[in-house]
Amino acid sequence: MDNHITCEGGLGDDLVHVATAPGEARLVVINLRGAMDGLDAVQPYGDPALRALRGPDLSVGPEGGAFDLDGFFALHPALETLMPLWRAGQLSFIHAVSTPYRDRRSHFDGQDLLATGSANRDRPDLDDRSGFLNRLVACIPGATLQLAWSSGAMRPLIANGPAPFSNWSPTTQLGLTEADIGLLRHVYGADSGFALALESAVLSEAAQGGKTAARSDAAFVARQLVAEARIATFSIDGWDTHAGQAGIIAGRFRQLAQAILTLRDGLGPVWDKTVVVVVTEFGRTARANGTGGTDHGTGGVAFLAGGAVRGGKVHGRWPGLTDLYAGRDLMPTADVRDYLAAICHAHMGVPADLLSNFVFPGASVACGLVAA
Amino acid sequence: MQSRIAASLKSWLDTDPPPAAETGLRFGYGPSASDLLEDVRAAALHPPQATQAEARQFHIDYNAGVGLEPKFWREAALDFRRGAIRRRIALALTSPVGFGERVFSFWADHFTTTPKSYQAMPLQVSLTDEAIRPHVAGRFVDMLKAVTLHPMMLIYLDQNLSVGDHSVYAAGRTDSGLNENLGRELLELHTVGLDGPYDQNDVRETANLLAGLIYRTGQGTIYDVRRAEPGTETILGVDYPEDSVAEIHRLLDNLAAHPATALHLARKLAVHFVADTPPQSLIDRMAEAYLDSAGDLTAMYEVLTGSIVNRSPVPQKLRQPLEWIIACLRALGVSGADVAALPADLFNRVIVDSLGAMGQPFDQCAGPDGWPEHEDEWLAPNLIAARLVWARSAPEQILAALGRQIPDPALLIARHFPRPCGPMVTWSPRAETVQFGVASVLCAPEFLRR
């Protein structure tokens, strides 16, 4: 195999195995919209400052039923069903990461920046509203991108751009005759926006199924990845836990775990060639607020799952909870895009210069991985 | 409950619907700018479907569970929302021009709320009808104050849970403290906007100043000074030393008068009504008119509607699902009185559920930033497919319930487009079925956009 994977210095960790032939690797990006609390998902119970910040209900660690990962971090109890993946080396986490977004803590801005994969809002690629997944697809000959968004119902920015993509939310029965479709093609004529939407709707109608939004999105995406698609994305909403976080976030975590396991089951043997990345726009405040919740923050956690993941490890440089960003948030010690770029490089085989110049402008592609 | 809503609906619709604006174009001289402003002033005068007092009483009765099984209470709550959709559509069909009703929808979206419980559904109706509608032709600051102090907003953006960290109330308690949500969105979404000159500290200070505002079902919105954060707050460079409602009013006065607010509101209006990327010169002139008139919204509308950019014959904006359904019903000759008369199950299935399938469930926007404006967001295949499904079956079902026939597609084109053009003119009349012919007109680019 052509050794096009060049890794110098950098993160010091191997994020993935290199065992996948070119064109066979699968990537799924699950976007948690609303800002998932990383300190509750992967709880740094070994940090002596945690307890005082979090009150009696949040991030209680192993004493509260969380699952010890490495003697320092513990996984939220509601993510229990993911523990077999952790033990099998198919699950890892990257802690204290963030996008380059700082200070304004707006969901909508933060999500835009994550979706575009750029370093700041002033970049021209944001004006073009092109998402990093779309630019990534453009770097992989023959690849297409599969979207599913029955939870969000909107065409997501993360996939937007000139490269072709196919998308469908498995909820609407179109039921048009051939003649109806032919007529609409005439009516839409040169209006490319409508024409493309029509063709996607008609072509994808065969794909149906699913019940709850996240699980049906995951099942749908898995079917597409077993077939021809190689890159897919969907969102799970509802992470903006300003109040009563303990109850709300447990339900969200169960849904996230179910989505990941649905992907594993649906992908079958292809799971071994798959990396699932779970990201969110930013983290939440280190200190619990007065209403049993947390407010918008900065540093957070990302998940990596899949048979191609070199799992069983919490990556990242832990900043400690005494030195908070702006006195309130988990201090980000790395750009999450560096890790995304490392995965796209090592797992999908995309050249480093394309990643740092085009897909994630300004990010450094650095991984400890040396190709076999 | 049902009958009360139906009865009040009927009273607004006693007069026959006036002729469509398209008829005015052909047989009159076309609408003038002052007609449009009159339309907004008329829209401001409609009485509320539910008052805050009624909504609060509902909240109390619901919690007490007086006289009804829980599921009946839920249905009663949903009836308020269904009533609000029916009324929104009926008034939009009755209005001669419809500009006023669209302006009302715009501000309802600017101050988006979503009930988190059944109990609060009538409060949302009260917010739109009592805090927004009366001010659509007035000064922005009056709308801003009415909305910010309305129980629905206090619930939706967690103000009800917020307590100053150093307040009397918080002393000795471990389960209470500040919540930034309303403070943040007041700056980011409602006034100076994301591009405005504020930072995290301003968000915090705004939340500190708002601490003390709280909704109680028995009393409505009150200011509980024991929850107030002591000390002087500094927001966008202005000091607010007092802890009082008057001080909160002063903050809202200052925010409404801020040049960044003028620009933010002008841009949002221009993006909604003119184009996804409107000319900056139009935005600047609208903002100037707002500042020169001490925040008079009609001054902005006058610049907006009088702009030369509106004379472009090419449609610029994709109609969002609710707006599109209303445009379809107008084109099909359905009146406000017709909509009031539709059976509940048909209305719920064909209108309420369909809005959800098209991506715009009524008054249930996913976040406080309102519905997206950019055309791409609404062009997802599943959303366009939902419109196709609707256009093919809903017109026939609605017209059949009213005892009418579905119109010939050629007639529909002639009625709706004074100067029809595009491939639709050639192709829609050739459809296999009249139902699909009508669908292809309603889903043609010329009709999906305006």
Side-chain angles (χ1 to χ4, degrees):
Chain A
M1 179 172 142
D2 194 4
N3 184 8
H4 53 263
I5 298 167
T6 54
C7 296
E8 307 103 28
L11 307 172
D13 283 320
D14 296 348
L15 298 174
V16 296
H17 298 287
V18 180
T20 307
E24 281 299 299
R26 269 77 164 177
L27 178 69
V28 182
V29 177
I30 303 178
N31 188 7
L32 306 184
R33 294 192 297 190
M36 184 263 285
D37 183 17
L39 291 177
D40 211 1
V42 179
Q43 306 168 0
Y45 75 93
D47 192 309
L50 180 71
R51 266 297 33 86
L53 289 167
R54 285 268 147 164
D57 298 332
L58 298 182
S59 313
V60 186
E63 284 174 32
F67 297 92
D68 182 41
L69 295 175
D70 57 3
F72 186 84
F73 292 105
L75 192 64
H76 191 282
L79 290 167
E80 176 176 11
T81 54
L82 294 183
M83 281 307 290
L85 293 184
W86 171 264
R87 293 187 202 105
Q90 297 186 346
L91 176 67
S92 62
F93 304 95
I94 313 166
H95 224 316
V97 286
S98 73
T99 71
Y101 185 59
R102 288 292 182 278
D103 297 336
R104 295 300 282 270
R105 300 182 181 85
S106 153
H107 289 302
F108 324 115
D109 246 9
Q111 286 165 11
D112 274 5
L113 206 74
L114 174 62
T116 56
S118 54
N120 63 66
R121 295 188 74 229
D122 303 328
R123 284 196 56 91
D125 39 305
L126 189 59
D127 290 342
D128 294 345
R129 299 178 66 77
S130 99
F132 78 79
L133 281 182
N134 194 280
R135 297 197 300 276
L136 177 65
V137 167
C139 298
I140 303 172
T144 57
L145 175 58
Q146 184 65 51
L147 312 183
W149 64 78
S150 51
S151 47
M154 291 291 164
R155 171 165 147 165
L157 177 59
I158 192 168
N160 228 7
F165 62 90
S166 142
N167 47 46
W168 184 244
S169 146
T171 47
T172 315
Q173 282 280 355
L174 201 51
L176 299 180
T177 67
E178 281 303 311
D180 294 343
I181 295 164
L183 183 86
L184 274 180
R185 285 190 177 125
H186 284 296
V187 169
Y188 286 158
D191 198 312
S192 61
F194 292 121
L196 277 173
L198 174 71
E199 296 305 326
S200 286
V202 170
L203 291 176
S204 313
E205 196 191 4
Q208 299 282 339
K211 286 195 177 69
T212 71
R215 186 161 58 173
S216 80
D217 277 354
F220 171 74
V221 152
R223 285 197 297 276
Q224 305 308 310
L225 291 173
V226 168
E228 292 189 353
R230 291 295 174 264
I231 301 176
T233 185
F234 61 96
S235 296
I236 303 176
D237 294 355
W239 301 90
D240 196 17
T241 49
H242 283 284
Q245 173 168 315
I248 297 167
I249 206 167
R252 299 284 92 192
F253 280 145
R254 277 190 285 272
Q255 200 176 20
L256 170 62
Q258 191 183 52
I260 291 172
L261 295 176
T262 301
L263 281 173
R264 180 197 61 184
D265 297 346
L267 286 168
V270 177
W271 176 249
D272 285 342
K273 301 168 183 171
T274 300
V275 173
V276 180
V277 186
V278 181
V279 287
T280 189
E281 65 259 31
F282 42 70
R284 307 191 69 83
T285 48
R287 188 173 288 104
N289 66 18
T291 56
T294 50
D295 293 316
H296 302 183
T298 309
V301 77
F303 292 21
L304 300 177
V309 168
R310 198 182 287 267
K313 186 171 163 70
V314 181
H315 302 280
R317 189 171 68 74
W318 185 246
L321 289 171
T322 46
D323 179 23
L324 296 175
Y325 180 79
R328 53 178 271 153
D329 307 335
L330 176 62
M331 179 73 73
T333 55
D335 187 337
V336 70
R337 301 179 310 142
D338 292 356
Y339 285 91
L340 290 171
I343 290 158
C344 294
H345 180 54
H347 180 58
M348 306 299 288
V350 178
D353 58 337
L354 268 179
L355 287 167
S356 58
N357 293 321
F358 178 60
V359 181
F360 300 104
S364 53
V365 185
C367 56
L369 189 144
V370 178
Chain B
M1 201 66 58
Q2 242 345 5
S3 59
R4 193 180 63 79
I5 293 168
S8 56
L9 248 182
K10 191 171 178 335
S11 71
W12 300 308
L13 300 168
D14 272 342
T15 53
D16 282 330
E22 292 75 35
T23 318
L25 266 183
R26 181 159 290 164
F27 294 104
Y29 298 104
S32 73
S34 63
D35 287 341
L36 291 172
L37 294 186
E38 274 313 310
D39 202 58
V40 186
R41 292 191 187 104
L45 298 177
H46 293 296
Q49 174 195 330
T51 65
Q52 199 194 117
E54 289 172 310
R56 276 175 24 220
Q57 191 59 47
F58 183 90
H59 199 159
I60 292 166
D61 292 347
Y62 190 115
N63 285 346
V66 185
L68 285 179
E69 295 282 313
K71 70 172 177 182
F72 294 121
W73 276 108
R74 288 198 286 275
E75 280 302 306
L78 286 168
D79 278 341
F80 275 91
R81 173 181 285 154
R82 294 169 185 146
I85 307 177
R86 214 187 261 249
R87 185 173 184 225
R88 181 87 63 99
I89 294 173
L91 290 175
L93 295 176
T94 307
S95 162
V97 184
F99 179 56
E101 293 304 315
R102 286 202 50 219
V103 164
F104 166 64
S105 284
F106 170 85
W107 290 113
D109 185 62
H110 181 76
F111 290 111
T112 290
T113 61
T114 307
K116 293 172 183 172
S117 65
Y118 288 98
Q119 291 92 314
M121 281 181 184
L123 278 174
Q124 185 187 32
V125 176
S126 156
L127 181 137
T128 53
D129 282 5
E130 292 189 300
I132 293 175
R133 186 180 277 283
H135 304 296
V136 292
R139 296 171 71 224
F140 176 70
V141 69
D142 296 327
M143 191 189 294
L144 179 67
K145 287 176 179 174
V147 168
T148 308
L149 299 177
H150 193 281
M152 184 65 221
M153 188 59 84
L154 301 184
I155 296 172
Y156 177 57
L157 290 178
D158 298 327
Q159 181 61 29
N160 243 16
L161 305 171
S162 186
V163 173
D165 283 335
H166 307 96
S167 65
V168 174
Y169 185 92
R173 290 175 196 252
T174 55
D175 61 343
S176 62
L178 197 70
N179 189 304
E180 292 180 357
N181 214 357
L182 178 61
R184 174 181 307 283
E185 305 309 7
L186 177 61
L187 297 175
E188 176 184 327
L189 299 176
H190 300 163
T191 60
V192 294
L194 195 51
D195 297 324
Y198 71 95
D199 62 18
Q200 173 61 34
N201 204 44
D202 293 306
V203 169
R204 193 84 190 163
E205 288 284 82
T206 303
N208 277 333
L209 185 59
L210 293 173
L213 272 188
I214 182 170
Y215 158 61
R216 293 229 171 88
T217 47
Q219 299 160 284
T221 298
I222 60 162
Y223 185 77
D224 178 0
V225 74
R226 293 178 312 127
R227 292 167 179 254
E229 176 72 7
T232 295
E233 285 87 6
T234 304
I235 300 161
L236 300 179
V238 179
D239 285 348
Y240 297 89
E242 306 296 326
D243 293 328
S244 68
V245 178
E247 203 73 325
I248 293 169
H249 275 257
R250 195 160 71 84
L251 167 69
L252 297 174
D253 281 322
N254 289 338
L255 289 177
H258 202 289
T261 300
L263 276 172
H264 178 56
L265 300 180
R267 179 179 303 280
K268 275 194 77 169
L269 276 164
V271 165
H272 184 74
F273 283 96
V274 176
D276 286 353
T277 48
Q280 186 61 41
S281 59
L282 172 65
I283 295 167
D284 291 342
R285 280 189 294 122
M286 288 171 67
E288 202 178 303
Y290 175 90
L291 292 172
D292 287 349
S293 63
D296 179 1
L297 293 174
T298 60
M300 270 205 292
Y301 306 151
E302 203 162 2
V303 177
L304 173 73
T305 56
S307 166
I308 188 95
V309 295
N310 297 323
R311 291 178 205 159
S312 162
V314 183
Q316 300 284 316
K317 284 288 293 189
L318 189 75
R319 284 172 164 150
Q320 294 178 13
L322 177 60
E323 185 196 339
W324 177 73
I325 284 182
I326 291 169
C328 289
L329 294 176
R330 279 178 88 110
L332 292 165
V334 177
S335 71
D338 292 338
V339 163
L342 285 178
D345 59 338
L346 178 73
F347 183 84
N348 293 343
R349 184 164 44 80
V350 171
I351 306 289
V352 182
D353 296 349
S354 297
L355 279 168
M358 293 175 200
Q360 196 173 37
F362 187 80
D363 276 358
Q364 294 171 79
C365 198
D369 54 336
W371 298 112
E373 287 288 348
H374 201 279
E375 173 170 312
D376 285 353
E377 307 273 1
W378 298 103
L379 273 183
N382 53 325
L383 304 184
I384 291 297
R387 296 203 200 200
L388 275 171
V389 169
W390 190 90
R392 207 175 43 142
S393 62
E396 189 179 29
Q397 293 180 60
I398 291 168
L399 292 170
L402 298 168
R404 292 178 215 156
Q405 297 284 317
I406 191 164
D408 185 278
L411 186 70
L412 187 63
I413 293 172
R415 190 192 289 164
H416 190 76
F417 299 94
R419 283 165 205 82
C421 58
M424 166 190 75
V425 179
T426 316
W427 291 97
S428 294
R430 301 186 193 177
E432 266 187 341
T433 61
V434 64
Q435 288 83 356
F436 196 74
V438 166
S440 69
V441 174
L442 300 179
C443 290
E446 299 86 338
F447 198 96
L448 284 166
R449 292 203 189 91
R450 56 170 161 79

